[in-house]
Amino acid sequence: MNTDIDIARQARKKPIQEIGAKLGIPSQSLIPFGHDKAKVSADYLDTIKNNGDGKLILVTAINPTPAGEGKTTTTVGLGDGLNKIGKKAAICIREASLGPCFGMKGGAAGGGYAQVVPMEDMNLHFTGDFHAITSAHNLLSAMIDNHIYWGNKEGIDIRRVAWRRVLDMNDRALRQITCSLGGVANGFPREAGFDITVASEVMAVLCLATSLEDLQSRLGRMIVAYRRDRSPVYCRDIKADGAMTVLLQQAVQPNLVQTLENNPAFVHGGPFANIAHGCNSVIATTAALKIADYVVTEAGFGADLGAEKFMDIKCRQAGLSPQAVVIVATIRALKMNGGVAKNDLGPENVEAVRKGCANLGRHIENMRKFGVPAVVAINHFVTDTDAEVNVVKDYVTSMGSEAVLCQHWAKGSEGTTDLAEKVVEIIEGGKAAYKPLYPDDMGLLEKIDTIAKEIYRADGVSAGKKIVDQLNQWEEAGYGNLPICMAKTQYSFTTDPNERGAPTGHEIPIREVRLSAGAGFIVAICGEIMTMPGLPSVPAAEAIHVDDAGQVQGLF
């Protein structure tokens, strides 16, 4: 059997100008990075901004398990399937972070015959967007310390510098550091730390900005520190927003690549869904909607994190209105949610599938709260039995929805035409009436509590006086209308990653809250979630190498 990388290397890619032409993008509006990838120029994006919008489809999933769900694979497969049935469709997904690629997760470009190529480039440096974000973020870090060193005109309290540094790699040793040691010439010693680049507010800002001008405005609004009187110091006070925008000028332009079936794919931005808002860029999504009739996008991890943030943050800020949701599930993952160990997933176990369906049902119920109809995509594995598949189909039918068996990993678009036709049927039915989970004018703590109760099915949240006081201060400062970005484990509806299924009666502890004034949301950090992951005991990096033929091995 061919592996993902074998299939990717056999791809018959077309020149990127031909892919752009499918969407009406002139070749002169593409900034090529080799023959198979390009950025779409800002000038061209200006010419299409008054076009009508296509239909937006969100692909999400049940809570992830080590058995795999295949959300990106399904996103790609559905995009190919829509094109197969004669629709003008494009997909929009996120870029891969080097941290997970060299850590535990591996590549992120789909799989089997439902992939985006060039796969190796996408999982490594691609067009340099993440490096630009890292550089822009750390330029601001350097300018803050430099500002303090040369007299501290803004009166920054060095105990209250809120801006950390970032790195696009998993490195637990950098979570908490002491900087500026070594004497007077090196500045004023203080505690600091690193986050992973995908958790940077600069990443969130780039992915939520609507233009270069909006990007600079948002960068300028980012809070970097506080004075002794607790008043905020903004990025624009340090005069770093202009230079940061210069570093991000090319990165903010969306990347165009192609699927294995030579259909257009926008791959741009990459905030994680467990520690950030988990969606590709607004610029890429809105551009695709202006030039395609159907746009398939995904949100990170399970629907409790990625889809909730897509609906409550991205759609709210960008004025998007999704028409359908696809919830991806696998028989294997449902078995794990039903209590089966990873090593025991092979044999048929109808009862475990039935028990695991509770997790899927919770996500179906949750999506209805946003007013968007959902269909379930069963991502097929060769070990699945008819009895197991039928259990899922019957369960989903009992929930008032429909489950469609998809074989895109093995068959490409031929394996998703049924799903594509079902999605089109849902959209043409006109039943979508998107609405966010909570209104803008709800109190910040009440918003957090609403997500915990309505989406996670918790009894409520626990937040100490310090956190409650901080939320109240932000409301008084005019930030009360911002949405909430929950930072929580992706593996469970609770904050315990080992609690599978559809638990109830739990509590969501709020450990810390952060104001992302430039991105336009409040981050609530729950439980033991880390904004700088560590490497596992056996990192994927140990197996990654260049073979004698000059090809990368071990990345996928």
mmCIF file of all heavy atoms in Angstrom, residues 414-456:
data_model
loop_
_atom_site.group_PDB
_atom_site.id
_atom_site.type_symbol
_atom_site.label_atom_id
_atom_site.label_comp_id
_atom_site.label_asym_id
_atom_site.label_seq_id
_atom_site.Cartn_x
_atom_site.Cartn_y
_atom_site.Cartn_z
ATOM 1 N N GLU A 414 -13.729 10.512 -5.746
ATOM 2 C CA GLU A 414 -14.755 9.483 -5.939
ATOM 3 C C GLU A 414 -15.327 9.007 -4.611
ATOM 4 O O GLU A 414 -16.464 8.534 -4.551
ATOM 5 C CB GLU A 414 -14.176 8.290 -6.709
ATOM 6 C CG GLU A 414 -13.908 8.571 -8.181
ATOM 7 C CD GLU A 414 -13.457 7.322 -8.924
ATOM 8 O OE1 GLU A 414 -13.605 6.217 -8.351
ATOM 9 O OE2 GLU A 414 -12.965 7.458 -10.056
ATOM 10 N N GLY A 415 -14.542 9.134 -3.554
ATOM 11 C CA GLY A 415 -14.997 8.693 -2.236
ATOM 12 C C GLY A 415 -15.764 9.746 -1.465
ATOM 13 O O GLY A 415 -16.196 9.480 -0.327
ATOM 14 N N THR A 416 -15.933 10.938 -2.044
ATOM 15 C CA THR A 416 -16.654 11.999 -1.317
ATOM 16 C C THR A 416 -17.783 12.617 -2.131
ATOM 17 O O THR A 416 -18.352 13.623 -1.699
ATOM 18 C CB THR A 416 -15.690 13.130 -0.897
ATOM 19 O OG1 THR A 416 -14.986 13.612 -2.052
ATOM 20 C CG2 THR A 416 -14.720 12.683 0.169
ATOM 21 N N THR A 417 -18.131 12.058 -3.261
ATOM 22 C CA THR A 417 -19.212 12.669 -4.056
ATOM 23 C C THR A 417 -20.539 12.614 -3.309
ATOM 24 O O THR A 417 -21.343 13.553 -3.388
ATOM 25 C CB THR A 417 -19.350 11.978 -5.420
ATOM 26 O OG1 THR A 417 -19.469 10.561 -5.227
ATOM 27 C CG2 THR A 417 -18.138 12.264 -6.294
ATOM 28 N N ASP A 418 -20.797 11.535 -2.564
ATOM 29 C CA ASP A 418 -22.035 11.464 -1.772
ATOM 30 C C ASP A 418 -22.072 12.575 -0.731
ATOM 31 O O ASP A 418 -23.107 13.225 -0.534
ATOM 32 C CB ASP A 418 -22.154 10.108 -1.084
ATOM 33 C CG ASP A 418 -22.456 8.971 -2.054
ATOM 34 O OD1 ASP A 418 -22.815 9.276 -3.215
ATOM 35 O OD2 ASP A 418 -22.335 7.799 -1.647
ATOM 36 N N LEU A 419 -20.936 12.798 -0.060
ATOM 37 C CA LEU A 419 -20.874 13.865 0.941
ATOM 38 C C LEU A 419 -21.056 15.221 0.277
ATOM 39 O O LEU A 419 -21.799 16.084 0.775
ATOM 40 C CB LEU A 419 -19.533 13.820 1.684
ATOM 41 C CG LEU A 419 -19.309 14.929 2.719
ATOM 42 C CD1 LEU A 419 -20.320 14.834 3.853
ATOM 43 C CD2 LEU A 419 -17.888 14.876 3.270
ATOM 44 N N ALA A 420 -20.396 15.432 -0.865
ATOM 45 C CA ALA A 420 -20.501 16.701 -1.575
ATOM 46 C C ALA A 420 -21.951 16.985 -1.969
ATOM 47 O O ALA A 420 -22.456 18.102 -1.788
ATOM 48 C CB ALA A 420 -19.601 16.703 -2.807
ATOM 49 N N GLU A 421 -22.628 15.981 -2.483
ATOM 50 C CA GLU A 421 -24.020 16.176 -2.887
ATOM 51 C C GLU A 421 -24.913 16.456 -1.686
ATOM 52 O O GLU A 421 -25.844 17.265 -1.767
ATOM 53 C CB GLU A 421 -24.504 14.947 -3.661
ATOM 54 C CG GLU A 421 -23.889 14.867 -5.063
ATOM 55 C CD GLU A 421 -24.164 13.545 -5.755
ATOM 56 O OE1 GLU A 421 -24.707 12.632 -5.089
ATOM 57 O OE2 GLU A 421 -23.832 13.427 -6.954
ATOM 58 N N LYS A 422 -24.635 15.805 -0.562
ATOM 59 C CA LYS A 422 -25.420 16.053 0.651
ATOM 60 C C LYS A 422 -25.211 17.475 1.156
ATOM 61 O O LYS A 422 -26.169 18.161 1.566
ATOM 62 C CB LYS A 422 -25.049 15.040 1.737
ATOM 63 C CG LYS A 422 -25.876 15.185 3.015
ATOM 64 C CD LYS A 422 -27.354 14.972 2.741
ATOM 65 C CE LYS A 422 -28.196 15.200 3.981
ATOM 66 N NZ LYS A 422 -29.647 15.045 3.690
ATOM 67 N N VAL A 423 -23.966 17.933 1.142
ATOM 68 C CA VAL A 423 -23.673 19.295 1.591
ATOM 69 C C VAL A 423 -24.371 20.318 0.702
ATOM 70 O O VAL A 423 -24.959 21.294 1.195
ATOM 71 C CB VAL A 423 -22.138 19.526 1.612
ATOM 72 C CG1 VAL A 423 -21.821 21.008 1.784
ATOM 73 C CG2 VAL A 423 -21.497 18.723 2.741
ATOM 74 N N VAL A 424 -24.322 20.116 -0.606
ATOM 75 C CA VAL A 424 -25.008 21.026 -1.523
ATOM 76 C C VAL A 424 -26.515 21.018 -1.254
ATOM 77 O O VAL A 424 -27.167 22.069 -1.242
ATOM 78 C CB VAL A 424 -24.716 20.645 -2.988
ATOM 79 C CG1 VAL A 424 -25.596 21.452 -3.940
ATOM 80 C CG2 VAL A 424 -23.242 20.879 -3.312
ATOM 81 N N GLU A 425 -27.063 19.836 -1.005
ATOM 82 C CA GLU A 425 -28.495 19.729 -0.690
ATOM 83 C C GLU A 425 -28.846 20.531 0.561
ATOM 84 O O GLU A 425 -29.858 21.242 0.607
ATOM 85 C CB GLU A 425 -28.857 18.258 -0.485
ATOM 86 C CG GLU A 425 -30.303 18.015 -0.083
ATOM 87 C CD GLU A 425 -30.545 16.569 0.307
ATOM 88 O OE1 GLU A 425 -29.928 15.675 -0.302
ATOM 89 O OE2 GLU A 425 -31.334 16.330 1.239
ATOM 90 N N ILE A 426 -27.995 20.425 1.584
ATOM 91 C CA ILE A 426 -28.230 21.172 2.829
ATOM 92 C C ILE A 426 -28.197 22.672 2.567
ATOM 93 O O ILE A 426 -29.063 23.432 3.016
ATOM 94 C CB ILE A 426 -27.176 20.786 3.885
ATOM 95 C CG1 ILE A 426 -27.423 19.365 4.396
ATOM 96 C CG2 ILE A 426 -27.180 21.778 5.049
ATOM 97 C CD1 ILE A 426 -26.327 18.843 5.302
ATOM 98 N N ILE A 427 -27.189 23.105 1.807
ATOM 99 C CA ILE A 427 -27.042 24.535 1.538
ATOM 100 C C ILE A 427 -28.220 25.054 0.718
ATOM 101 O O ILE A 427 -28.790 26.115 1.028
ATOM 102 C CB ILE A 427 -25.699 24.809 0.824
ATOM 103 C CG1 ILE A 427 -24.540 24.533 1.789
ATOM 104 C CG2 ILE A 427 -25.640 26.247 0.293
ATOM 105 C CD1 ILE A 427 -23.173 24.605 1.140
ATOM 106 N N GLU A 428 -28.605 24.302 -0.314
ATOM 107 C CA GLU A 428 -29.713 24.738 -1.154
ATOM 108 C C GLU A 428 -31.049 24.695 -0.409
ATOM 109 O O GLU A 428 -32.006 25.365 -0.794
ATOM 110 C CB GLU A 428 -29.782 23.878 -2.413
ATOM 111 C CG GLU A 428 -28.605 24.142 -3.369
ATOM 112 C CD GLU A 428 -28.656 23.295 -4.623
ATOM 113 O OE1 GLU A 428 -29.460 22.330 -4.665
ATOM 114 O OE2 GLU A 428 -27.881 23.578 -5.561
ATOM 115 N N GLY A 429 -31.088 23.929 0.695
ATOM 116 C CA GLY A 429 -32.290 23.906 1.522
ATOM 117 C C GLY A 429 -32.517 25.202 2.278
ATOM 118 O O GLY A 429 -33.625 25.461 2.768
ATOM 119 N N GLY A 430 -31.439 26.018 2.393
ATOM 120 C CA GLY A 430 -31.576 27.348 2.985
ATOM 121 C C GLY A 430 -31.945 27.360 4.453
ATOM 122 O O GLY A 430 -32.581 28.309 4.937
ATOM 123 N N LYS A 431 -31.549 26.330 5.197
ATOM 124 C CA LYS A 431 -31.928 26.260 6.614
ATOM 125 C C LYS A 431 -30.930 26.946 7.546
ATOM 126 O O LYS A 431 -31.208 27.125 8.728
ATOM 127 C CB LYS A 431 -32.093 24.797 7.026
ATOM 128 C CG LYS A 431 -33.252 24.092 6.336
ATOM 129 C CD LYS A 431 -33.386 22.656 6.811
ATOM 130 C CE LYS A 431 -34.560 21.959 6.119
ATOM 131 N NZ LYS A 431 -34.687 20.547 6.555
ATOM 132 N N ALA A 432 -29.777 27.315 7.035
ATOM 133 C CA ALA A 432 -28.748 27.925 7.890
ATOM 134 C C ALA A 432 -29.181 29.315 8.344
ATOM 135 O O ALA A 432 -29.672 30.121 7.553
ATOM 136 C CB ALA A 432 -27.422 28.006 7.148
ATOM 137 N N ALA A 433 -29.001 29.561 9.626
ATOM 138 C CA ALA A 433 -29.282 30.885 10.205
ATOM 139 C C ALA A 433 -28.249 31.124 11.296
ATOM 140 O O ALA A 433 -28.552 31.087 12.496
ATOM 141 C CB ALA A 433 -30.703 30.949 10.755
ATOM 142 N N TYR A 434 -26.999 31.345 10.853
ATOM 143 C CA TYR A 434 -25.888 31.469 11.803
ATOM 144 C C TYR A 434 -26.135 32.527 12.861
ATOM 145 O O TYR A 434 -26.611 33.633 12.572
ATOM 146 C CB TYR A 434 -24.585 31.794 11.055
ATOM 147 C CG TYR A 434 -23.547 32.437 11.945
ATOM 148 C CD1 TYR A 434 -22.856 31.680 12.882
ATOM 149 C CD2 TYR A 434 -23.297 33.811 11.882
ATOM 150 C CE1 TYR A 434 -21.925 32.266 13.724
ATOM 151 C CE2 TYR A 434 -22.354 34.400 12.710
ATOM 152 C CZ TYR A 434 -21.670 33.632 13.638
ATOM 153 O OH TYR A 434 -20.758 34.218 14.475
ATOM 154 N N LYS A 435 -25.786 32.178 14.087
ATOM 155 C CA LYS A 435 -25.784 33.141 15.192
ATOM 156 C C LYS A 435 -24.700 32.714 16.179
ATOM 157 O O LYS A 435 -24.453 31.509 16.363
ATOM 158 C CB LYS A 435 -27.147 33.168 15.899
ATOM 159 C CG LYS A 435 -27.563 31.854 16.540
ATOM 160 C CD LYS A 435 -28.945 31.955 17.163
ATOM 161 C CE LYS A 435 -29.323 30.687 17.949
ATOM 162 N NZ LYS A 435 -29.339 29.469 17.132
ATOM 163 N N PRO A 436 -24.012 33.667 16.797
ATOM 164 C CA PRO A 436 -22.994 33.296 17.785
ATOM 165 C C PRO A 436 -23.651 32.749 19.053
ATOM 166 O O PRO A 436 -24.858 32.890 19.257
ATOM 167 C CB PRO A 436 -22.264 34.615 18.049
ATOM 168 C CG PRO A 436 -23.239 35.677 17.669
ATOM 169 C CD PRO A 436 -24.090 35.125 16.577
ATOM 170 N N LEU A 437 -22.856 32.121 19.895
ATOM 171 C CA LEU A 437 -23.373 31.493 21.109
ATOM 172 C C LEU A 437 -23.827 32.518 22.140
ATOM 173 O O LEU A 437 -24.768 32.276 22.894
ATOM 174 C CB LEU A 437 -22.285 30.592 21.716
ATOM 175 C CG LEU A 437 -22.678 29.730 22.914
ATOM 176 C CD1 LEU A 437 -23.681 28.658 22.499
ATOM 177 C CD2 LEU A 437 -21.448 29.079 23.542
ATOM 178 N N TYR A 438 -23.164 33.679 22.156
ATOM 179 C CA TYR A 438 -23.472 34.699 23.168
ATOM 180 C C TYR A 438 -23.372 36.083 22.529
ATOM 181 O O TYR A 438 -22.660 36.267 21.539
ATOM 182 C CB TYR A 438 -22.492 34.597 24.350
ATOM 183 C CG TYR A 438 -21.037 34.545 23.947
ATOM 184 C CD1 TYR A 438 -20.335 35.708 23.620
ATOM 185 C CD2 TYR A 438 -20.362 33.331 23.857
ATOM 186 C CE1 TYR A 438 -19.015 35.666 23.226
ATOM 187 C CE2 TYR A 438 -19.034 33.275 23.457
ATOM 188 C CZ TYR A 438 -18.358 34.448 23.150
ATOM 189 O OH TYR A 438 -17.053 34.405 22.755
ATOM 190 N N PRO A 439 -24.087 37.059 23.076
ATOM 191 C CA PRO A 439 -24.040 38.409 22.509
ATOM 192 C C PRO A 439 -22.790 39.169 22.937
ATOM 193 O O PRO A 439 -22.154 38.838 23.943
ATOM 194 C CB PRO A 439 -25.301 39.068 23.096
ATOM 195 C CG PRO A 439 -25.517 38.368 24.403
ATOM 196 C CD PRO A 439 -25.065 36.947 24.184
ATOM 197 N N ASP A 440 -22.457 40.204 22.192
ATOM 198 C CA ASP A 440 -21.279 41.018 22.506
ATOM 199 C C ASP A 440 -21.366 41.648 23.887
ATOM 200 O O ASP A 440 -20.363 41.781 24.589
ATOM 201 C CB ASP A 440 -21.115 42.145 21.469
ATOM 202 C CG ASP A 440 -20.720 41.625 20.096
ATOM 203 O OD1 ASP A 440 -20.295 40.453 20.008
ATOM 204 O OD2 ASP A 440 -20.835 42.384 19.120
ATOM 205 N N ASP A 441 -22.571 42.068 24.280
ATOM 206 C CA ASP A 441 -22.705 42.855 25.508
ATOM 207 C C ASP A 441 -22.836 42.007 26.768
ATOM 208 O O ASP A 441 -23.060 42.526 27.855
ATOM 209 C CB ASP A 441 -23.889 43.822 25.406
ATOM 210 C CG ASP A 441 -25.209 43.109 25.125
ATOM 211 O OD1 ASP A 441 -25.220 41.869 25.049
ATOM 212 O OD2 ASP A 441 -26.240 43.809 24.982
ATOM 213 N N MET A 442 -22.706 40.688 26.660
ATOM 214 C CA MET A 442 -22.694 39.833 27.849
ATOM 215 C C MET A 442 -21.387 40.047 28.604
ATOM 216 O O MET A 442 -20.337 40.298 28.011
ATOM 217 C CB MET A 442 -22.839 38.365 27.438
ATOM 218 C CG MET A 442 -22.860 37.381 28.594
ATOM 219 S SD MET A 442 -22.973 35.651 28.038
ATOM 220 C CE MET A 442 -24.713 35.555 27.657
ATOM 221 N N GLY A 443 -21.398 39.970 29.927
ATOM 222 C CA GLY A 443 -20.188 40.128 30.733
ATOM 223 C C GLY A 443 -19.150 39.080 30.420
ATOM 224 O O GLY A 443 -19.483 37.952 30.013
ATOM 225 N N LEU A 444 -17.867 39.405 30.596
ATOM 226 C CA LEU A 444 -16.785 38.496 30.212
ATOM 227 C C LEU A 444 -16.843 37.175 30.973
ATOM 228 O O LEU A 444 -16.719 36.102 30.376
ATOM 229 C CB LEU A 444 -15.429 39.178 30.434
ATOM 230 C CG LEU A 444 -15.124 40.383 29.537
ATOM 231 C CD1 LEU A 444 -13.794 41.024 29.940
ATOM 232 C CD2 LEU A 444 -15.078 39.960 28.068
ATOM 233 N N LEU A 445 -17.041 37.233 32.295
ATOM 234 C CA LEU A 445 -17.109 35.992 33.067
ATOM 235 C C LEU A 445 -18.337 35.182 32.671
ATOM 236 O O LEU A 445 -18.292 33.950 32.596
ATOM 237 C CB LEU A 445 -17.132 36.291 34.563
ATOM 238 C CG LEU A 445 -17.084 35.065 35.484
ATOM 239 C CD1 LEU A 445 -15.822 34.238 35.223
ATOM 240 C CD2 LEU A 445 -17.157 35.481 36.951
ATOM 241 N N GLU A 446 -19.430 35.866 32.352
ATOM 242 C CA GLU A 446 -20.641 35.173 31.925
ATOM 243 C C GLU A 446 -20.433 34.504 30.564
ATOM 244 O O GLU A 446 -20.958 33.422 30.305
ATOM 245 C CB GLU A 446 -21.824 36.148 31.867
ATOM 246 C CG GLU A 446 -23.168 35.464 31.677
ATOM 247 C CD GLU A 446 -24.334 36.436 31.656
ATOM 248 O OE1 GLU A 446 -24.123 37.643 31.919
ATOM 249 O OE2 GLU A 446 -25.454 35.981 31.364
ATOM 250 N N LYS A 447 -19.647 35.136 29.694
ATOM 251 C CA LYS A 447 -19.320 34.510 28.403
ATOM 252 C C LYS A 447 -18.530 33.223 28.619
ATOM 253 O O LYS A 447 -18.812 32.192 27.989
ATOM 254 C CB LYS A 447 -18.517 35.481 27.525
ATOM 255 C CG LYS A 447 -19.308 36.666 26.994
ATOM 256 C CD LYS A 447 -18.398 37.641 26.247
ATOM 257 C CE LYS A 447 -19.182 38.850 25.762
ATOM 258 N NZ LYS A 447 -18.307 39.885 25.159
ATOM 259 N N ILE A 448 -17.529 33.278 29.497
ATOM 260 C CA ILE A 448 -16.727 32.095 29.806
ATOM 261 C C ILE A 448 -17.624 30.998 30.375
ATOM 262 O O ILE A 448 -17.548 29.824 29.983
ATOM 263 C CB ILE A 448 -15.596 32.450 30.797
ATOM 264 C CG1 ILE A 448 -14.606 33.432 30.150
ATOM 265 C CG2 ILE A 448 -14.876 31.190 31.270
ATOM 266 C CD1 ILE A 448 -13.575 33.990 31.119
ATOM 267 N N ASP A 449 -18.507 31.384 31.287
ATOM 268 C CA ASP A 449 -19.417 30.435 31.922
ATOM 269 C C ASP A 449 -20.390 29.839 30.900
ATOM 270 O O ASP A 449 -20.717 28.650 30.958
ATOM 271 C CB ASP A 449 -20.186 31.141 33.044
ATOM 272 C CG ASP A 449 -20.906 30.168 33.957
ATOM 273 O OD1 ASP A 449 -20.228 29.330 34.574
ATOM 274 O OD2 ASP A 449 -22.160 30.245 34.050
ATOM 275 N N THR A 450 -20.827 30.651 29.944
ATOM 276 C CA THR A 450 -21.754 30.179 28.913
ATOM 277 C C THR A 450 -21.100 29.115 28.044
ATOM 278 O O THR A 450 -21.710 28.076 27.742
ATOM 279 C CB THR A 450 -22.225 31.360 28.036
ATOM 280 O OG1 THR A 450 -22.964 32.277 28.844
ATOM 281 C CG2 THR A 450 -23.100 30.880 26.892
ATOM 282 N N ILE A 451 -19.847 29.352 27.626
ATOM 283 C CA ILE A 451 -19.129 28.348 26.826
ATOM 284 C C ILE A 451 -18.972 27.058 27.624
ATOM 285 O O ILE A 451 -19.198 25.957 27.117
ATOM 286 C CB ILE A 451 -17.758 28.883 26.380
ATOM 287 C CG1 ILE A 451 -17.923 30.095 25.459
ATOM 288 C CG2 ILE A 451 -16.954 27.786 25.683
ATOM 289 C CD1 ILE A 451 -16.630 30.827 25.157
ATOM 290 N N ALA A 452 -18.591 27.187 28.905
ATOM 291 C CA ALA A 452 -18.366 26.011 29.748
ATOM 292 C C ALA A 452 -19.651 25.192 29.901
ATOM 293 O O ALA A 452 -19.625 23.956 29.825
ATOM 294 C CB ALA A 452 -17.837 26.437 31.112
ATOM 295 N N LYS A 453 -20.755 25.865 30.100
ATOM 296 C CA LYS A 453 -22.014 25.149 30.328
ATOM 297 C C LYS A 453 -22.637 24.643 29.031
ATOM 298 O O LYS A 453 -23.102 23.508 28.945
ATOM 299 C CB LYS A 453 -23.006 26.059 31.058
ATOM 300 C CG LYS A 453 -22.643 26.333 32.510
ATOM 301 C CD LYS A 453 -23.632 27.293 33.164
ATOM 302 C CE LYS A 453 -23.310 27.505 34.643
ATOM 303 N NZ LYS A 453 -24.221 28.513 35.259
ATOM 304 N N GLU A 454 -22.680 25.494 28.000
ATOM 305 C CA GLU A 454 -23.381 25.146 26.767
ATOM 306 C C GLU A 454 -22.579 24.206 25.867
ATOM 307 O O GLU A 454 -23.146 23.325 25.219
ATOM 308 C CB GLU A 454 -23.736 26.419 25.984
ATOM 309 C CG GLU A 454 -24.719 27.337 26.688
ATOM 310 C CD GLU A 454 -26.103 26.729 26.770
ATOM 311 O OE1 GLU A 454 -26.488 25.975 25.851
ATOM 312 O OE2 GLU A 454 -26.805 26.996 27.770
ATOM 313 N N ILE A 455 -21.262 24.395 25.804
ATOM 314 C CA ILE A 455 -20.429 23.594 24.898
ATOM 315 C C ILE A 455 -19.763 22.431 25.626
ATOM 316 O O ILE A 455 -19.781 21.302 25.150
ATOM 317 C CB ILE A 455 -19.365 24.466 24.214
ATOM 318 C CG1 ILE A 455 -20.042 25.613 23.438
ATOM 319 C CG2 ILE A 455 -18.498 23.624 23.284
ATOM 320 C CD1 ILE A 455 -20.974 25.179 22.328
ATOM 321 N N TYR A 456 -19.184 22.674 26.803
ATOM 322 C CA TYR A 456 -18.483 21.619 27.521
ATOM 323 C C TYR A 456 -19.409 20.830 28.443
ATOM 324 O O TYR A 456 -19.011 19.810 28.985
ATOM 325 C CB TYR A 456 -17.332 22.190 28.352
ATOM 326 C CG TYR A 456 -16.384 23.100 27.609
ATOM 327 C CD1 TYR A 456 -15.709 24.125 28.270
ATOM 328 C CD2 TYR A 456 -16.154 22.941 26.244
ATOM 329 C CE1 TYR A 456 -14.832 24.962 27.602
ATOM 330 C CE2 TYR A 456 -15.283 23.777 25.564
ATOM 331 C CZ TYR A 456 -14.630 24.794 26.250
ATOM 332 O OH TYR A 456 -13.766 25.634 25.593
#
